[in-house]
Amino acid sequence: MSAACPPTTWLELPEVVRARRRTLTTLLLAQVLGTLGIGAAPSVGVLLAEQVTASETWAGLARSSTTVGAALAAFPLGALAARWGAWGR
């Protein structure tokens, strides 16, 4: 039976490994819950707009305008990303 090898770097220390695993789990759960919220927001927004306006047409128009606005904002944001890159070089 061989003895356990000591960690070769500080990243392999047991307390660091536990902290990294706990942090990764927390980030994963936060990402999943945040994505669920972002996915549900448009549906809730349409229902709210329908109740406020009492019209399915206006509720659909509100959602469509949000989509068109996001699409139009994507063009200049894409150009900025292409120009400056990931790290703003």
Side-chain angles (χ1 to χ4, degrees):
M1 196 152 120
S2 65
C5 296
T8 57
T9 68
W10 66 272
L11 290 172
E12 296 173 353
L13 292 172
E15 59 271 13
V16 174
V17 171
R18 280 192 303 273
R20 288 173 56 191
R21 187 170 292 131
R22 187 174 54 245
T23 302
L24 184 61
T25 301
T26 301
L27 290 173
L28 177 73
L29 289 173
Q31 183 67 36
V32 168
L33 293 175
T35 301
L36 286 173
I38 288 172
S43 301
V44 173
V46 168
L47 294 173
L48 181 63
E50 195 274 327
Q51 280 192 345
V52 169
T53 63
S55 168
E56 290 181 8
T57 303
W58 286 110
L61 184 62
R63 179 63 187 132
S64 298
S65 64
T66 302
T67 303
V68 169
L72 291 176
F75 288 113
L77 290 175
L80 281 173
R83 181 174 180 197
W84 294 100
W87 300 105
R89 288 183 247 149

